[in-house]
């Protein structure tokens, strides 16, 4: 610099004060920082819990298909006569599902989401280039017409079933090895798994009124 300048000095009026000048519409304290006090390091458990704390729920946004009135409307549009009892069952069951399983979706909607996700991420994805394997509970109410297991089988045409009770893959490593040997060259593999839970007509989770029976059963 051609013209050396004297170092700027803080005005005496501010030298011993704790003024809070406004910068950009915000006030900033001029107080000297307090000495740092030793802090106790966070435990691994606490650090993990803080890191995992989401700002929004992790589950999906509830679908309109989890609105009891939407289900009743769907039945009516399908030509089904909805009685007062059936209307109450729809409201009880769907309300219980929404309360206990936030973000739960109907089978067909899950099927559509799986197909869209696989098509977007897997090159050349189709039913002709993909081997399907599932691990669902063998309970008959889990494998009826219109259930996810049926929709998948209908789309892919065949299925390798790993499952035992509760959807646990009882076939184990041996079963998966056998399945792997069945996959054609340059084909994709899609594995869909999960347990199921019933909901009674009154909205009790874990109980179901089966056809031809008078009492609820697990």
């Amino acid at each position: 610099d051609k013209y050396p300048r004297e170092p700027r000095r803080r005005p005496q009026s501010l030298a011993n004060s704790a003024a809070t000048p406004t910068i950009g519409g915000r006030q900033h304290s001029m107080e000297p920082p307090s000495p740092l006090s030793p802090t106790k390091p966070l435990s691994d458990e606490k650090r993990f819990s803080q890191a995992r704390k989401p700002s929004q729920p992790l589950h999906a946004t509830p679908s309109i298909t989890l609105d009891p009135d939407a289900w009743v409307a769907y039945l009516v549009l399908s030509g089904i006569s909805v009685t007062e009892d059936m209307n109450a069952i729809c409201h009880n069951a769907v309300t219980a599902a929404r309360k206990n399983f936030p973000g739960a979706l109907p089978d067909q909607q899950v099927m559509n989401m799986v197909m869209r996700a696989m098509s977007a991420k897997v090159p050349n994805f189709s039913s002709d280039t993909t081997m399907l394997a599932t691990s669902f509970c063998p309970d008959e109410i889990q494998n009826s017409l219109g259930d996810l297991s049926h929709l998948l089988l209908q789309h892919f045409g065949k299925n390798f079933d790993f499952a035992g009770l509760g959807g646990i893959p009882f076939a184990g490593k041996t079963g998966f090895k056998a399945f792997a040997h069945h996959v054609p060259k340059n084909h994709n593999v899609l594995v869909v798994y999960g347990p199921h839970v019933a909901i009674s007509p009154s909205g009790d989770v874990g109980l179901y009124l089966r056809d031809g029976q008078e009492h609820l059963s697990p």
Side-chain angles (χ1 to χ4, degrees), residues 118 125 129-133 176 179-180 183 187-191:
M118 296 297 291
F125 174 78
T129 60
T130 303
M131 279 285 288
L132 170 70
F176 202 94
F179 168 67
V183 181
H187 269 49
N188 306 306
V189 169
L190 174 62
V191 180

Side-chain angles (χ1 to χ4, degrees), residues 107 110-111 136 142 144 146-153 192:
D107 299 74
V110 172
M111 178 71 180
F136 296 125
Q142 167 68 19
S144 302
D147 288 336
L148 182 59
S149 57
H150 176 264
L151 295 173
L152 288 165
L153 180 59
V192 187

Side-chain angles (χ1 to χ4, degrees), residues 98-120:
R98 185 166 55 185
K99 176 182 177 182
N100 293 279
F101 306 100
L105 300 170
D107 299 74
Q108 185 63 63
Q109 195 166 345
V110 172
M111 178 71 180
N112 295 342
M113 292 173 67
V114 169
M115 294 301 104
R116 285 199 300 269
M118 296 297 291
S119 298

Side-chain angles (χ1 to χ4, degrees), residues 2 31 34 50-51 53 55 60-61 71 73 106 120 135-136 149 152 154 171 185 194-195:
K2 286 185 178 180
E31 293 183 53
S34 57
Q50 288 185 356
K53 190 178 294 183
S55 57
T61 302
W71 274 102
S135 189
F136 296 125
S149 57
L152 288 165
Q154 191 176 39
K185 185 178 180 180

Side-chain angles (χ1 to χ4, degrees), residues 27 145 186 209 218:
Q27 289 189 330
L145 187 67
N186 298 324
L209 183 60

